[in-house]
Amino acid sequence: MSLSLLAPGALALGLLVALPLLAHLSWQRPRDRVAFGAMLLMERVVKRIQRHRRVKDPLIFALRALALLALALAAAAPQWVRAGVLPDVGGSGRVVVLLDRSLSMKMADGGASVFAHAVAKATAQVQALPAGTRVGLVAVDGQAVALTPSLTEDRATVVAALGALVPGSASTDLGAGFREARRLLAGDPGEVLLYSDEAGANTVSAARPELQRLLAAGAAVLPQPVREGAPNNVVIRAAIYGDGLEGGQVTLQIAHFGPEPTEVACEVVLPDGQAVPIFVALPADGEATAQVTVPREAEGGVGQARCEDAALPDDDTRYFHLPHVGASRVLVVDGDPGDSPARSEVYFLEKALAPWGGGQTGVTADVVPPSGLAKLDKTKHRLVFLANVGDLRGVGGRLVDFVRGGGSVVLSMGSNVAPRVYNDELSALLPAPLRGVRSLAAREEAGVPLQTPTSAQGLLAPFAASGRAGFGRVRAQRVMTLDPYADTDEVRTWLRFEGGAPALVEKQVGRGRVLLWTSSFDFDWTNLPVQAVFMPLIQAVVAELGADGGGRAERVDAEVGGFAVVPLPGSGPEPEVFDPAGRLVSTTRQGGALRFPVDQAGAYRVAITDGPVTGWVAANLPFAESDVRAPESIERAEVDLDPGVFTEQVELGGWLLGLALACFALSAWLARAGGSA
Amino acid sequence: MEPAPISPLDSEALARVRRLHLRARTLTDSLLMGEHRSRRVGQAVEFADYREYAPGMDLRALDWRVLARTDRLVVKRFETETELPSTVVLDLSADMSTGHAGRGKLPDLEGSKAGFAITLAATLLTFLHRHGEPVGLELVGGDVIGGVRSFPSRGGRSHLQRLTAVLATARPSGVARLEDALLEVGRRSKRRSLVVVLTDGMEEPSAWLPSLGAIARRGSDLRLGLLYDPRELGLSVDHPALFYSPEGGATLDVDPVAARKVFDEVVLEHSEEVRAGVVRWGGRFTRLSSADPLENALRSLIIAGGGVR
């Protein structure tokens, strides 16, 4: 809405407003004196008139000034440009119906869905178009589809196509819809009737370039109202498992798009089927955070959080990743029970795995002597620590099978370790044959420090942000040396001592992994157990090697309507992908990853045939569709691009002239009616 | 020797109303015979009312017809006709000197309300005298030769001549102070007499109207003529002017054309306020215009409670 003046110079006539003021100032007292016997009555008259004048005189002055201003404005020929005027439909004879069938259109609205309203209105509009009008139909969600190959006068076809449409679960790409509409119009002028709730924070802004092209081609986009009630929806914006190595909480971030506060019943369902209910109070048009404590033992995989919301049930479930929680899957073989904690590898390992004690959080490891290796349970244990174990008779083959089957082993050295025994029993697991113990410094000396690692991936991921310098404070007086080896796809050296001696070496064996620490986990050979890097390093080892599948299961998030890309293991058979319903999904290879389309929300499982799960994909619906409020509008964007559209010019000169005359008449009547004194 | 003052009497008007008969609304206390009914019931000729017979009453007064018809003993009562002491109270405050269309007989007061009021008072006193009533005069405000303002009602031609002479020389001046003046008149007036007040009432009515009670409580027949100049009735001044009162006070700058409508309302309210105050005390109210024929004013005052004989 704007105002323009064709003859702004005429506003100078506004100076006439000074005339009534001058007239008032130039008023003079009369000279005649009249002896009057009824002054009692005259005083009453004056009092009464003055009561009126206190209100009336300023009113008369204002009316006269307003009249003069109105005259001056009328002379300036003002025009009022009124916005928001939608033209009648069908005037161009070429119409494209653009129907939004995205997820948000499923929102309940007055007993039906917004989509149902849109279809009904579009159908009625098509049937009401003037005879001879050529019509096309485009359906749009994440992509646009022209349901008529070209514009047609066969309305029955268009109406039938409208009736066959169903809403989907994808986001809204209005730009694609405009592009398809422009193609149907073949670059000629026409009208695009848009039936969309325009929901989503960026739905409109993303469509602006195509909208501009459409307008430039001479077409007009006429948004049609599709929603009857106020937008309202509850959606779980995020569900994230966190806090601690083992155990913790799932944090739910729940958004509410509605005018009234509400309370919803929610539930977190873990991968093993455990359900944790919760009620969440939500503010109007706001968010709330809720936390659900995960039981001490829970299977890893993809869990789901869901809230009851009748407005848009499709987006009420959010899928999230959950690691294997709580089960005592770590077996520590204590090869050197020390006479004091400082001489006990197990003491330091237990402290690193459960810093606050096993009664709260963390991993409570099963600790056994070397003979206890017979208790190794492949279905339970995922990781075995061999801490300074010297006696490996009869268990080598068992360990190799364990690793090849997907388990992992961490070897730490010490005075009990005999290189010959290890080379004999565990040759398949060692990244290189053990050569012998090498003294780097005297016991009373500080020892040789570790090199600060240059990368922070995999096992060193906890040090990505900071803490890598702490490795430089780890010193060793003795190490187990290895025969020369080279890093390959299967062997990787994570840490080295100054001088180049290997410190932490990993080897992929079958579906499992072996990690070799060439020094000890107690004070015999090194100061590692009391360094800041010890605890996060051990926990990262458990998280990486102790996971299902003998290695870390890849955890990938994806959005319905898009693609998921899952990194592949470095070696071994190529896994397959199964959708939430268990059906095999067709995939393509993209470098070292598998790529596949995500067409439904839920947990996609990546697994080797008859083998462990190597990855999980948590697929969720696009959040943008859940924000049903439509913060922007196509109509406004269209006005921004073409200010002349949807406007009507109104000449105000006549109205102002009438106003001036009315003001003059009213002021004259007021002046005449009450008199003055 | 000073020339005799011009008589304010309007003989022509007097002649036209000579046949009017003033009838008092109240019964007089006078013992002298006259035209008016007396509150004393006796053996005069005019029937008054009936009363139940009581032992000791004069049996000659029994109404035998009623006895025969109703078998009840009642006696007839009769009134005695007496004279009516009358007093004219004349407002001669300075405001009364204004006006332009008054029909008075005094040349130096030509056109004024005072001229009209003096002529009216003199003619009314003469009318009453000729009908045998004792007459008196009370002057409120004004300049009076000799300073005597109060003349109790008396009969006799010489008394009337004296009153007429006083009226011929009295001139409007000063402030009336009606509130005090009317209280004083009430105190001095005779019981059950006729009191005619001629004033323009240009003092706050709520202040002086209660003073009429002093007259009314004496049982008098109170009649008040509220006198306006035609200009005061229609504010017939056609140009803006500075209006002032001869009695002093503020000067008001007024556009009469614009204020006329409001003024008419105010005059009506003033007149109605005075009328209500007079009626409240049992008196009779007459609005007078100094431009009206004197005969009309006389007629209004005389027949307000009586009629033409």
Side-chain angles (χ1 to χ4, degrees):
Chain A
M1 194 165 59
S2 63
L3 191 68
S4 61
L5 301 173
L6 295 183
L11 286 178
L13 293 174
L15 296 175
L16 290 174
V17 77
L19 289 181
L21 192 60
L22 293 174
H24 176 74
L25 294 175
S26 65
W27 180 80
Q28 293 183 341
R29 290 168 67 86
R31 294 178 181 174
D32 288 350
R33 290 172 58 86
V34 174
F36 197 63
M39 288 302 283
L40 172 75
L41 308 184
M42 192 63 85
E43 287 171 357
R44 290 184 176 183
V45 168
V46 170
K47 283 181 183 174
R48 189 168 300 183
I49 288 177
Q50 283 180 339
R51 265 203 310 272
H52 292 162
R53 285 181 58 179
R54 275 197 291 273
V55 175
K56 196 182 67 177
D57 281 5
L59 183 60
I60 291 174
F61 175 78
L63 282 170
R64 290 173 179 168
L66 179 62
L68 290 172
L69 281 175
L71 276 179
L73 267 175
Q79 281 187 335
W80 177 41
V81 180
R82 190 161 69 95
V85 182
L86 289 177
D88 293 335
V89 173
S92 67
R94 296 158 53 79
V95 172
V96 174
V97 175
L98 179 52
L99 188 74
D100 180 358
R101 58 173 175 179
S102 64
L103 171 66
S104 62
M105 293 289 282
K106 290 181 180 176
M107 191 189 81
D109 184 29
S113 67
V114 176
F115 182 80
H117 292 314
V119 169
K121 290 181 178 179
T123 302
Q125 183 64 69
V126 168
Q127 290 170 335
L129 286 172
T133 304
R134 301 177 65 206
V135 190
L137 175 62
V138 174
V140 63
D141 50 7
Q143 52 192 350
V145 178
L147 299 176
T148 56
S150 61
L151 298 184
T152 175
E153 293 186 24
D154 183 4
R155 297 184 199 179
T157 302
V158 177
V159 169
L162 276 169
L165 279 174
V166 292
S169 298
S171 57
T172 313
D173 186 355
L174 285 182
F178 292 147
R179 187 164 52 245
E180 201 62 23
R182 184 159 53 91
R183 189 187 64 76
L184 282 180
L185 291 172
D188 293 328
E191 299 158 56
V192 178
L193 306 184
L194 174 62
Y195 294 87
S196 169
D197 60 356
E198 300 170 11
N202 300 313
T203 300
V204 172
S205 57
R208 283 177 73 104
E210 282 299 334
L211 176 64
Q212 190 168 17
R213 293 188 189 98
L214 190 60
L215 297 179
V221 177
L222 308 179
Q224 304 296 309
V226 294
R227 205 150 47 189
E228 296 181 351
N232 191 14
N233 187 31
V234 173
V235 61
I236 302 175
R237 190 184 187 116
I240 301 170
Y241 171 79
D243 279 350
L245 172 65
E246 298 288 327
Q249 291 177 319
V250 175
T251 301
L252 306 181
Q253 192 176 353
I254 304 170
H256 177 220
F257 306 107
E260 299 293 335
T262 185
E263 185 181 64
V264 292
C266 299
E267 186 179 50
V268 174
V269 181
L270 303 179
D272 58 7
Q274 297 183 76
V276 185
I278 186 175
F279 282 92
V280 182
L282 295 167
D285 272 330
E287 291 189 356
T289 299
Q291 291 181 319
V292 173
T293 300
V294 176
R296 282 186 49 78
E297 292 191 17
E299 291 292 329
V302 174
Q304 52 183 287
R306 52 182 177 236
C307 290
E308 292 180 5
D309 171 38
L312 186 52
D314 283 41
D315 70 349
D316 290 347
T317 302
R318 181 82 186 176
Y319 296 90
F320 64 96
H321 292 290
L322 184 74
H324 191 119
V325 176
S328 180
R329 60 184 189 275
V330 177
L331 180 67
V332 176
V333 182
D334 188 2
D336 183 22
D339 51 5
S340 68
R343 291 186 170 279
S344 170
E345 290 91 344
V346 173
Y347 172 80
F348 291 114
L349 283 173
E350 285 184 327
K351 285 295 180 187
L353 291 172
W356 299 280
Q360 298 181 32
T361 59
V363 174
T364 303
D366 294 334
V367 180
V368 296
S371 59
L373 267 175
K375 296 181 180 178
L376 179 62
D377 183 355
K378 292 181 182 177
T379 62
K380 177 181 177 183
H381 296 124
R382 309 306 310 165
L383 178 62
V384 176
F385 278 89
L386 292 181
N388 194 14
V389 175
D391 185 6
L392 291 175
R393 286 172 298 179
V395 300
R398 189 179 184 88
L399 282 174
V400 171
D401 290 344
F402 171 71
V403 174
R404 285 179 173 158
S408 295
V409 171
V410 177
L411 304 172
S412 68
M413 302 293 103
S415 56
N416 293 338
V417 174
R420 184 179 52 80
V421 175
Y422 271 64
N423 291 338
D424 291 345
E425 295 290 337
L426 303 178
S427 61
L429 301 182
L430 293 172
L434 305 184
R435 176 177 286 181
V437 178
R438 178 182 172 190
S439 179
L440 301 176
R443 282 187 179 276
E444 61 277 13
E445 293 177 350
V448 175
L450 284 174
Q451 294 176 2
T452 302
T454 55
S455 68
Q457 298 174 343
L459 294 175
L460 302 183
F463 309 97
S466 62
R468 267 181 285 167
F471 286 101
R473 288 189 282 274
V474 176
R475 293 171 179 270
Q477 293 88 12
R478 292 186 180 184
V479 297
M480 179 67 72
T481 57
L482 307 178
D483 284 348
Y485 70 95
D487 281 1
T488 63
D489 288 343
E490 295 180 347
V491 177
R492 176 172 183 176
T493 305
W494 289 99
L495 295 170
R496 289 182 185 275
F497 291 103
E498 294 288 352
L504 187 64
V505 187
E506 180 187 341
K507 181 182 181 184
Q508 180 84 36
V509 180
R511 294 200 291 267
R513 297 154 81 183
V514 176
L515 198 63
L516 172 62
W517 170 245
T518 60
S519 192
S520 67
F521 279 152
D522 61 5
F523 283 165
D524 271 358
W525 291 8
T526 178
N527 66 351
L528 173 66
V530 294
Q531 294 304 308
V533 297
F534 181 63
M535 187 176 73
L537 179 65
I538 293 300
Q539 292 186 356
V541 166
V542 173
E544 283 279 318
L545 276 60
D548 289 334
R552 186 179 62 180
E554 295 293 344
R555 302 187 186 279
V556 175
D557 290 306
E559 198 168 80
V560 174
F563 289 86
V565 179
V566 182
L568 290 170
S571 61
E574 186 165 302
E576 296 173 314
V577 177
F578 301 90
D579 69 9
R583 295 186 295 262
L584 190 63
V585 176
S586 173
T587 61
T588 57
R589 189 77 183 253
Q590 186 178 48
L594 284 179
R595 183 174 187 268
F596 59 92
V598 177
D599 56 6
Q600 59 179 301
Y604 283 74
R605 186 166 53 91
V606 184
I608 297 169
T609 306
D610 298 328
V613 174
T614 61
W616 290 100
V617 176
N620 288 290
L621 295 170
F623 172 75
E625 287 297 308
S626 298
D627 184 356
V628 293
R629 295 175 299 180
E632 300 175 287
S633 76
I634 285 292
E635 183 179 330
R636 182 167 296 177
E638 203 170 354
V639 171
D640 288 345
L641 294 170
D642 181 6
V645 74
F646 304 148
T647 59
E648 179 185 30
Q649 290 185 345
V650 180
E651 302 289 343
L652 296 180
W655 291 98
L656 288 168
L657 203 56
L659 175 65
L661 291 175
C663 288
F664 275 134
L666 185 57
S667 66
W669 177 78
L670 280 173
R672 186 182 177 82
S676 61
Chain B
M1 181 177 178
E2 291 185 5
I6 298 173
S7 172
L9 182 65
D10 187 338
S11 301
E12 293 178 7
L14 185 60
R16 290 195 190 98
V17 300
R18 70 181 186 280
R19 294 178 64 82
L20 291 182
H21 171 67
L22 178 71
R23 181 154 186 151
R25 293 178 67 197
T26 58
L27 302 179
T28 70
D29 283 338
S30 175
L31 291 174
L32 299 176
M33 300 297 285
E35 289 187 341
H36 306 282
R37 291 175 300 164
S38 170
R39 65 190 292 267
R40 297 172 186 273
V41 179
Q43 296 180 343
V45 293
E46 190 144 341
F47 169 76
D49 61 4
Y50 288 102
R51 175 174 291 184
E52 291 288 336
Y53 173 78
M57 285 185 173
D58 188 354
L59 290 177
R60 288 177 298 175
L62 271 175
D63 189 325
W64 297 103
R65 290 180 183 172
V66 173
L67 178 62
R69 205 166 51 236
T70 65
D71 203 21
R72 290 174 60 196
L73 290 174
V74 296
V75 295
K76 287 183 177 177
R77 286 154 53 88
F78 298 90
E79 290 178 342
T80 307
E81 290 192 336
T82 62
E83 62 186 12
L84 177 65
S86 305
T87 301
V88 172
V89 181
L90 179 60
D91 177 359
L92 280 179
S93 61
D95 279 345
M96 292 288 282
S97 67
T98 63
H100 73 293
R103 297 189 174 191
K105 290 294 183 180
L106 299 174
D108 60 326
L109 293 177
E110 184 179 1
S112 69
K113 290 189 288 185
F116 181 84
I118 288 172
T119 298
L120 177 60
T123 308
L124 179 58
L125 287 171
T126 303
F127 170 84
L128 292 170
H129 173 75
R130 287 183 181 177
H131 282 73
E133 318 293 2
V135 293
L137 177 65
E138 296 281 350
L139 295 176
V140 178
D143 285 337
V144 181
I145 295 176
V148 180
R149 298 171 178 277
S150 177
F151 302 91
S153 58
R154 287 174 55 194
R157 186 176 184 80
S158 62
H159 181 64
L160 176 64
Q161 288 175 340
R162 186 184 177 198
L163 297 185
T164 306
V166 168
L167 287 172
T169 57
R171 290 296 179 269
S173 170
V175 181
R177 296 195 177 83
L178 288 172
E179 180 182 358
D180 298 334
L182 292 175
L183 282 175
E184 189 62 22
V185 167
R187 190 180 60 78
R188 281 199 296 263
S189 66
K190 293 179 179 178
R191 290 180 59 78
R192 303 191 183 282
S193 62
L194 171 69
V195 177
V196 178
V197 179
L198 298 175
T199 178
D200 62 356
M202 289 304 159
E203 292 180 16
E204 190 56 47
S206 60
W208 61 265
L209 281 173
S211 298
L212 292 175
I215 301 171
R217 279 191 290 270
R218 303 284 293 175
S220 298
D221 181 353
L222 172 63
R223 303 183 185 193
L224 187 141
L226 186 63
L227 181 60
Y228 293 98
D229 181 74
R231 274 186 173 176
E232 297 169 357
L233 286 173
L235 197 58
S236 55
V237 180
D238 55 1
H239 58 276
L242 294 172
F243 289 78
Y244 69 96
S245 168
E247 294 182 14
T251 299
L252 296 178
D253 175 6
V254 177
D255 176 2
V257 174
R260 191 163 292 149
K261 183 180 177 186
V262 179
F263 191 87
D264 290 346
E265 296 171 1
V266 169
V267 168
L268 196 61
E269 290 169 7
H270 175 255
S271 173
E272 182 58 26
E273 185 178 6
V274 174
R275 188 196 67 78
V278 172
V279 171
R280 175 171 174 261
W281 292 113
R284 278 171 281 180
F285 170 82
T286 303
R287 195 170 90 165
L288 304 172
S289 169
S290 61
D292 288 345
L294 195 74
E295 172 196 347
N296 292 357
L298 274 173
R299 195 181 297 274
S300 300
L301 290 170
I302 292 169
I303 69 173
V308 178
R309 178 175 282 178

